[in-house]
Amino acid sequence: MSLKFIKPGMQTSIQDAGRLGFMHQGISRSGAMDPLSLQLANWLVSNPLNQAAIEVTLVGPTIEFKKSLSIAICGAEFELTLNDEPVFNNEMINVNVADVLAFKGLRNGTRAYLAIAGQLNVTSLFGSQATHLTARFGGYNGRQFETNDVLEFVSTRKVKERVLPKDYRPTFSGNYLLRCCEGLEAKQFDQESLDAFYDTTYSISVDSNRMGLRLEGKPVPLNASMGIVSSGLVQGSIQVPPSGLPIISSVDGQTIGGYPRIANVISADLNILGQLKAGDKVSCLPVSRQKTWQYLEQKHRFLNALLSS
Amino acid sequence: MTKLSNINTRIQWNGDSALTLFFDKEADEDLTRHILSLAEVCNSIFSKKLIEAIPAYQSLTLCFDLQSIETDAIEESIKAVIDNGITEIATTTSRVIKIPVCYQGAYAPDLEYLAEYCKLSCDEVIQQHTQTIYLVNMLGFLPGFLYLSGLADQLHCPRKEIPSLHVPAGAVGIGGNQTGVYPVESPGGWHIIGQTPISIFSPNAKQPFIAQPLDKIHFVEITVEQFEQLKQEQA
């Protein structure tokens, strides 16, 4: 009862909703970079929404199944084939023993999630099965998959066929608007710096990863007097280092930060970070904190509507 | 009962789901104890609503589950906790932990540079580094990374302008006014003056972390032979 990686892809790893409650020990959240796509893939195969699945990044794997089962893929859109026949995102797919699933060219987005109807055989560490790639623990031997790795299942289940309704299918254009609330040190930036930050369309740097997304473009002017004492760094924090080029902290980011935070990507938009890749364009839109809570509420309602459908 | 309200405390939102409390007092053992005590109280009062309580030198960051709190009232709730006063955690929980460090050869690639910068001999750097008992203020940055205070003024040295891409697990470094041990291999900008053969972070162990805040760290010099022997015992 397993699957085998004929090709591993660029950075393919086990991820779930991440580990909570260990940041005071330096353990960042880890988990899916796009938790919404993870949840949708799990929904398609009738799993608990936050269950561990396979996160695929930019260059996808080729997988051989050693067991008949149901799977689903959500998030970034790749050219997908099952035994050389096309298959698609956003619907439950039945696979048979010896079937080969190949992720070919990436069409849009950055990360896809492959869920199986059942449970992966990976142990839980610090409250999660996610691979902590920077500290090398959790998931499959604490690392991303390599050629010939065999991933075992604890169980598989027969599930009813599901297709994701149109409204829930994301589109990844490569141009994104990130809604932001005020950052912890935003008041230390003068109006000129804030204007420069919110007026700039940035490109995602090639040096971006699960720790953070680096932005390229016009540097944010900094005044010399900015001094901060390191404090808890939350996901979505946008720090401005001396270069003036902002860095957005993500799931594998540091737990304590030392650069001033100009803004913070709102919770409702954090999943977008998982779909950003080098060259994508982002601009930031300031919203009030009150609004951010409404947006999150809307998002929960949106997901709940699917669950009760 | 101690009143944290004696310390001027500023509460600020940190993103849309966390608040950071800043304490207007110098970072020392007393403040660290205050912060840890407050974190413990918040964990018990807010329970599952509180996802993370992240202590730092002069702050405590509280991350909440937005779905289970009244966002408009949370700031007031935190103020009430502070005003009510908190019971300090016991002082007896702190330990002195010895970390063996080899300050020689390939284990100490930046020792000579640092010694020269600090206008000291390598032996003087080692002597200064090993004679201080450091306080663990907090863990953070990387899993199990210890933020230590107490580095001798003579050993302060600005970070590298270009960080090294691969600093090995166990590397002991100095950056600015800080010293510490890299728990896992990572990029890093500190000057590496030694290496410990023991694990600072062991995710599968019953006690994954070598130390906790308020513990004290004592670096003890070992030879290359001792390093290799200890390394083998760990494996």
Side-chain angles (χ1 to χ4, degrees), chain A residues 81-103:
Chain A
T81 60
L82 188 66
N83 305 330
D84 294 322
E85 293 293 321
V87 287
F88 302 96
N89 274 22
N90 303 324
E91 56 190 45
M92 195 261 261
I93 304 165
N94 288 313
V95 300
N96 293 312
V97 176
D99 279 1
V100 174
L101 174 74
F103 286 74

Side-chain angles (χ1 to χ4, degrees), chain A residues 185 189 197 228 231 233 236-241 244-249 254 256-263:
Chain A
E185 284 91 13
F189 291 84
F197 171 71
I228 76 156
S231 61
L233 185 68
S237 293
I238 306 182
Q239 299 186 89
V240 185
L245 295 175
I247 305 168
I248 311 176
S249 186
Q254 292 178 204
I256 287 180
Y259 296 127
R261 284 149 271 198
I262 193 167

Side-chain angles (χ1 to χ4, degrees), chain A residues 20-26 125 135-137 181 184 229-232 234 254-255 264 266-267 289-290 292-293 296 300, chain B residues 12-16 51-56 58-59 61 66-67 71-72 139-144 203-204 209 212:
Chain A
L20 303 178
F22 298 99
M23 280 177 79
H24 64 288
Q25 285 160 324
L125 261 183
R136 296 174 195 87
F137 69 86
C181 61
L184 190 58
V229 179
S230 301
S231 61
V234 300
Q254 292 178 204
T255 58
N264 217 106
I266 69 171
S267 296
R289 201 161 280 113
Q290 297 289 339
T292 75
W293 299 325
L296 194 64
H300 288 310
Chain B
Q12 252 185 287
W13 279 93
N14 185 344
D16 60 11
I51 297 173
E52 308 278 357
I54 315 164
Q58 288 167 296
S59 68
T61 297
L66 282 180
Q67 283 190 286
T71 42
D72 292 324
L139 273 64
F141 170 47
L142 291 166
N204 295 300
F209 308 98
Q212 291 298 333

Side-chain angles (χ1 to χ4, degrees), chain A residues 64-81:
Chain A
E64 185 185 343
F65 294 92
K66 308 283 189 188
K67 168 95 174 74
S68 299
L69 78 160
S70 303
I71 62 166
I73 298 152
C74 284
E77 207 186 328
F78 288 81
E79 186 196 331
L80 296 172
T81 60

